[in-house]
């Protein structure tokens, strides 16, 4: 069992490993011996220099960070609120509303790209981070609502009722009692949403391709040319793009593991 | 003074009616137990009293005030839940003080009430622990403490002992009885366990399928049950039922005899075979077969009776209860 998991981990991490080692090598060594570690002869920081000198890199990085963090925040906030309403209150159409929201999981948002673009043009949001954030919130909400409402069903009714008897308002119950109890589920939703948003190329390219609003993934494309690709720069940019995701992941992961195994272990 | 009155309370979940025309009136200071099999609507009724659930029709008054449309926290009630429902992220003190902080009580009042409740419930050394660091019995006491500190006019208990083991259940039952003596506050207590009902209640309300079957003191219900359901539900082991035609061919009623009212008598009219003997030390329960029917006998003291032996049984006629085809006393 452990052997299989270790093998899987190695396979999954191998491409990342190759990207990182090659980002520290000279162009020639990348092609000649792509799998060897950088040594005195092949070591070079030229990729990183190119990327950092490009100047725009930090602005791209900042854009990606803003888009990802703000989108995640609102996905979690609105997703949790909707999930709470769906799981806690009996109202006509409750079931249908839940189903309607869950439908979004199966329909990729990219199908609506043309309509979204038209909408953004007419609202003047093209080439703003707001456009990206709005789209990502819409993209992330269905799964967030679905997962969180499952978890909120599990929060004991007695606990919420005890809080009501104690005089807590519904908002206080939501923020102070229920949210802390579904934190593992929130972390799960955050991780599931974070990576597609961070890595997305489609919407930044279509909705916000301007220099000022380019995200990191889009910005890295300048190094990929039609005829010549600056592999040093591409690999260095990718290596650096992995870092923040890694940091966010570590923050969420302790919660995540509990989220996935909760219910299995009581 | 009337502490609580329910007037014509009905409750539907969708199309199913779970409470039918409930009228109950409870005097100040009474300990009232709602008892009935699981699923009969006890918890729903309690939640309606608490304001956690709306009645489909009818009204609820507490201490003379109509509170049908009042929020739970404005009803002057405190509730203890079956699953304890302690706030997992607050320690014992935090759990007990939350409602008081919400009411904007002063720090001194909060401290003083917590100290008093903690002393009453032997929780003084646990005030800084979190619920996950407490045993089941301790959690239950914290849940009770959280109710006490609010100094409510009405306590509501929803099966508070059902998650405890047998020994602890008996102790906690005594503690709750003592608590009622000390506080002299009205208490409404819900359980499916007839022993808890008999031992705790000033007044028992027997519920079945959302209907009040009978109301009265434990002994009134025991000695004078209105119907076969109440007769069979209260008392352990429960009452034996036989067709009266066994003794009188023209009688189509059902005969009920309590296990302790049956006795062994060489000249008795019932012939039975001993199936099983339960020696409890103080008591002996005999489970016997009479034709296809099973009867239970409760004898005081220790008796050595061989299994599979044949015995004859008798009972005093004035100890017999008769029920008609609808289960009503006849
Ligand atoms: N929220 C609800 N929705 C639908 N039916 C319910 C709900 N709560 C309780 N019931 C039904 O009402 C009946 C009474 O439930 P309850 O009051 O919990 O019974 P008890 O506490 O006596 O065991 C049960 O048949 C139960 O299935
Ligand atoms: Mg119940």
């Amino acid at each position: 069992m452990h052997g299989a998991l270790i093998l899987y981990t190695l396979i999954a991490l191998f491409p990342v490993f190759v990207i990182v080692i090659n980002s520290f090598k000279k162009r020639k060594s990348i092609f000649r011996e792509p799998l060897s570690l950088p040594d005195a002869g092949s070591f070079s920081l030229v990729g990183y220099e190119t990327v950092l000198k490009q100047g725009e890199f930090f602005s791209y990085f900042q854009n990606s960070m803003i888009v990802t963090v703000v989108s995640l925040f609102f996905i979690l906030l609105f997703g949790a609120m909707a999930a709470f309403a769906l799981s806690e209150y009996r109202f006509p159409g409750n079931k249908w509303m839940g189903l309607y929201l869950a439908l979004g999981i199966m329909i990729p948002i990219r199908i609506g790209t043309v309509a979204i673009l038209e909408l953004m043009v007419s609202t003047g949001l093209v080439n703003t981070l707001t456009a990206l954030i709005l789209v990502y919130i819409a993209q992330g909400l269905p799964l967030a609502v679905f997962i969180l409402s499952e978890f909120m069903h599990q929060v004991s009714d007695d606990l919420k009722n005890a809080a009501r008897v104690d005089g807590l308002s519904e908002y206080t119950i939501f923020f102070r009692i229920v949210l802390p109890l579904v934190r593992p589920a929130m972390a799960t939703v955050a991780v599931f949403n974070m990576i597609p948003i961070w890595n997305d190329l489609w919407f930044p390219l279509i909705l916000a391709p301007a220099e000022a609003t380019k995200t990191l993934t889009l910005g890295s494309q300048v190094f990929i040319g039609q005829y010549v690709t600056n592999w040093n720069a591409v690999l260095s940019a990718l290596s650096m793009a992995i870092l923040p995701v890694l940091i966010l992941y570590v923050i969420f992961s302790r919660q995540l593991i509990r989220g996935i195994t909760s219910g299995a272990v009581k | 003074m009337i502490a609580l009155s329910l007037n014509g309370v009905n409750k539907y979940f969708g199309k199913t009616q779970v409470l039918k025309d409930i009228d109950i009136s409870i005097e100040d200071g009474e300990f009232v137990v709602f008892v009935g099999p699981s699923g009969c609507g006890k918890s729903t009724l309690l939640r309606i009293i608490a304001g956690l659930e709306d009645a489909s029709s009818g009204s609820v008054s507490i201490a003379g005030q109509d509170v049908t449309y009042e929020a739970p926290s404005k009803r002057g009630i405190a509730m203890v839940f079956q699953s304890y429902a302690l706030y997992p992220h607050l320690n014992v003190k935090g759990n007990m003080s939350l409602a008081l902080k919400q009411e904007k009580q002063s720090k001194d009042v909060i401290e003083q009430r917590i100290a008093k409740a903690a002393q009453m419930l032997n929780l003084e050394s646990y005030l800084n622990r979190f619920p996950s660091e407490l045993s089941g019995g301790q959690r239950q006491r914290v849940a009770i403490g959280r109710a006490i500190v609010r100094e409510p006019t009405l306590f509501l208990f929803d099966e508070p002992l059902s998650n405890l083991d047998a020994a602890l259940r008996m102790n906690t039952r005594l503690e709750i009885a003592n608590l009622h003596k000390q506080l002299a506050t009205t208490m409404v207590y819900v359980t499916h366990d007839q022993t808890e009902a008999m031992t705790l209640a000033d007044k028992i309300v027997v519920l079945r399928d959302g209907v009040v079957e009978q109301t009265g003191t434990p002994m009134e219900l025991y000695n004078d049950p209105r119907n076969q359901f109440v007769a069979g539900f209260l008392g352990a082991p429960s009452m034996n039922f036989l067709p009266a035609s066994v003794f009188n061919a023209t009688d189509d009623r059902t005969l009920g005899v309590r296990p302790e009212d049956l006795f062994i008598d060489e000249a008795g009219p019932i012939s039975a075979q001993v199936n099983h003997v339960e020696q409890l030390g103080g008591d002996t329960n005999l489970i016997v077969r009479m034709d296809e029917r099973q009867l239970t006998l409760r004898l005081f003291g220790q008796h050595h009776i061989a299994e599979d032996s044949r015995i004859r049984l008798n009972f005093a006629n004035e100890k017999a209860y008769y029920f008609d085809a609808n289960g009503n006393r006849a």
Side-chain angles (χ1 to χ4, degrees):
Chain A
M1 185 65 193
H2 270 130
L5 289 177
I6 289 169
L7 187 71
Y8 176 76
T9 311
L10 288 181
I11 293 171
L13 283 181
F14 188 68
V16 180
F17 175 72
V18 173
I19 289 175
V20 175
I21 55 169
N22 282 312
S23 70
F24 289 104
K25 291 199 284 201
K26 287 185 185 139
R27 187 177 169 84
K28 269 194 191 132
S29 333
I30 294 177
F31 283 102
R32 209 166 286 153
E33 292 172 314
L35 294 184
S36 69
L37 290 171
D39 55 31
S42 64
F43 182 81
S44 151
L45 285 175
V46 63
Y48 288 92
E49 277 163 26
T50 320
V51 172
L52 294 179
K53 261 198 224 121
Q54 186 86 22
E56 262 51 80
F57 181 81
F58 283 107
S59 139
Y60 299 161
F61 189 88
Q62 199 183 9
N63 289 339
S64 276
M65 212 62 190
I66 290 172
V67 168
T68 307
V69 170
V70 174
S71 303
L72 277 186
F73 176 80
F74 284 110
I75 288 171
L76 291 178
L77 180 70
F78 295 149
M81 285 178 148
F84 185 69
L86 286 174
S87 64
E88 187 58 20
Y89 305 122
R90 266 175 272 140
F91 54 88
N94 179 317
K95 276 245 166 65
W96 290 111
M97 183 75 98
L99 202 65
Y100 171 71
L101 286 173
L103 220 59
I105 300 171
M106 286 159 269
I107 302 172
I109 195 168
R110 291 185 187 185
I111 287 178
T113 303
V114 174
I116 290 172
L117 183 59
E118 280 174 354
L119 192 73
M120 294 302 173
V121 170
S122 55
T123 45
L125 286 173
V126 172
N127 282 329
T128 62
L129 294 181
T130 318
L132 292 178
I133 290 170
L134 288 175
V135 169
Y136 292 141
I137 293 173
Q139 171 187 298
L141 273 180
L143 191 65
V145 173
F146 184 73
I147 293 179
L148 292 175
S149 56
E150 280 310 302
F151 274 79
M152 286 190 186
H153 268 303
Q154 290 170 17
V155 176
S156 118
D157 284 335
D158 280 358
L159 192 62
K160 290 172 278 194
N161 284 337
R164 289 189 182 113
V165 172
D166 276 350
L168 272 60
S169 70
E170 294 297 312
Y171 280 100
T172 322
I173 291 173
F174 173 71
F175 282 112
R176 301 269 304 277
I177 312 273
V178 175
L179 278 196
L181 288 178
V182 297
R183 226 169 37 201
M186 303 272 282
T188 310
V189 170
V191 170
F192 276 139
N193 279 299
M194 174 175 75
I195 294 161
I197 294 176
W198 182 267
N199 287 341
D200 191 32
L201 181 60
W202 183 267
F203 284 112
L205 189 61
I206 292 166
L207 297 179
E211 196 55 34
T213 53
K214 261 187 192 160
T215 60
L216 193 53
T217 320
L218 181 56
S220 309
Q221 305 304 311
V222 300
F223 303 117
I224 300 180
Q226 196 169 1
Y227 305 108
V228 199
T229 294
N230 186 343
W231 284 108
N232 298 77
V234 170
L235 293 175
S236 308
L238 284 178
S239 299
M240 283 194 279
I242 293 170
L243 258 184
V245 188
L246 208 62
I247 292 168
L248 282 179
Y249 180 81
V250 168
I251 294 173
F252 291 130
S253 66
R254 295 191 64 185
Q255 306 286 344
L256 177 73
I257 289 159
R258 272 205 281 149
I260 291 169
T261 56
S262 76
V265 202
K266 187 77 194 174
Chain B
M1 248 273 282
I2 304 293
L4 168 70
S5 79
L6 299 168
N7 310 303
V9 170
N10 282 287
K11 177 69 187 176
Y12 291 84
F13 283 116
K15 289 212 168 60
T16 39
Q17 188 170 13
V18 296
L19 292 175
K20 294 164 196 154
D21 251 327
I22 306 281
D23 284 298
I24 293 172
S25 160
I26 293 172
E27 296 284 329
D28 226 1
E30 264 186 322
F31 196 123
V32 179
V33 176
F34 295 172
V35 68
S38 354
C40 71
K42 307 176 298 283
S43 298
T44 307
L45 186 56
L46 204 64
R47 287 207 303 273
I48 288 174
I49 297 171
L52 295 167
E53 193 90 65
D54 294 326
S56 303
S57 65
S59 68
V60 181
S61 337
I62 293 173
Q65 296 274 327
D66 185 335
V67 295
T68 315
Y69 302 105
E70 200 69 86
S73 58
K74 303 273 167 59
R75 295 187 177 202
I77 54 148
M79 189 156 170
V80 176
F81 295 86
Q82 179 173 0
S83 61
Y84 317 138
L86 301 178
Y87 307 119
H89 55 296
L90 296 178
N91 63 15
V92 170
K93 201 167 173 179
N95 266 280
M96 297 214 267
S97 59
L98 187 63
L100 298 177
K101 284 181 187 156
Q102 216 62 31
E103 287 172 12
K104 307 249 186 304
Q105 296 281 4
S106 76
K107 261 215 162 74
D108 292 344
V109 173
I110 295 177
E111 285 294 328
Q112 175 218 325
R113 288 201 196 169
I114 289 179
K116 194 171 139 206
Q119 187 245 328
M120 233 181 215
L121 295 162
N122 285 323
L123 285 170
E124 284 134 319
S125 40
Y126 303 110
L127 285 177
N128 292 319
R129 293 221 196 154
F130 284 87
S132 56
E133 302 164 336
L134 298 174
S135 71
Q138 290 163 343
R139 285 180 205 177
Q140 186 55 275
R141 294 215 298 281
V142 176
I144 294 173
R146 187 171 64 178
I148 292 177
V149 293
R150 304 190 52 204
E151 305 189 343
T153 58
L154 181 62
F155 278 98
L156 305 174
F157 293 91
D158 191 357
E159 311 224 10
L161 306 186
S162 57
N163 286 345
L164 301 178
D165 61 51
L168 210 51
R169 200 176 301 169
M170 174 135 179
N171 280 335
T172 316
R173 203 168 75 204
L174 276 174
E175 278 180 32
I176 292 176
N178 282 330
L179 204 67
H180 180 241
K181 278 187 204 129
Q182 283 180 50
L183 298 171
T185 313
T186 320
M187 294 186 173
V188 175
Y189 185 106
V190 158
T191 179
H192 65 270
D193 179 1
Q194 62 89 31
T195 316
E196 283 173 33
M198 297 294 278
T199 51
L200 284 170
D202 295 324
K203 185 159 98 185
I204 294 181
V205 175
V206 181
L207 287 165
R208 174 171 60 157
D209 294 340
V211 176
V212 175
E213 292 284 334
Q214 194 172 359
T215 304
T217 65
M219 288 310 114
E220 276 168 18
L221 300 196
Y222 193 79
N223 295 326
D224 191 15
R226 186 186 292 164
N227 56 36
Q228 195 174 340
F229 175 77
V230 176
F233 195 76
L234 298 180
S238 58
M239 189 183 271
N240 296 299
F241 296 109
L242 300 167
S245 56
V246 171
F247 305 104
N248 177 355
T250 60
D251 196 339
D252 60 356
R253 296 176 300 176
T254 301
L255 167 74
V257 191
R258 294 215 179 265
E260 62 266 33
D261 294 331
L262 278 174
F263 53 90
I264 298 175
D265 179 359
E266 292 298 320
I270 304 172
S271 164
Q273 184 171 20
V274 178
N275 187 4
H276 188 69
V277 183
E278 288 180 348
Q279 297 273 11
L280 299 172
D283 289 335
T284 306
N285 291 338
L286 291 190
I287 291 95
V288 303
R289 297 207 139 272
M290 169 200 178
D291 306 327
E292 286 309 294
R293 255 170 280 284
Q294 180 175 297
L295 299 179
T296 312
L297 227 80
R298 182 172 180 193
L299 305 171
F300 188 72
Q302 303 183 358
H303 298 260
H304 299 281
I305 297 165
E307 291 189 357
D308 291 332
S309 62
R310 289 206 80 83
I311 54 170
R312 297 195 73 83
L313 307 174
N314 203 349
F315 58 90
N317 226 337
E318 68 272 17
K319 299 283 194 186
Y321 299 84
Y322 289 96
F323 305 95
D324 65 19
N326 296 324
N328 293 319
R329 277 289 282 286

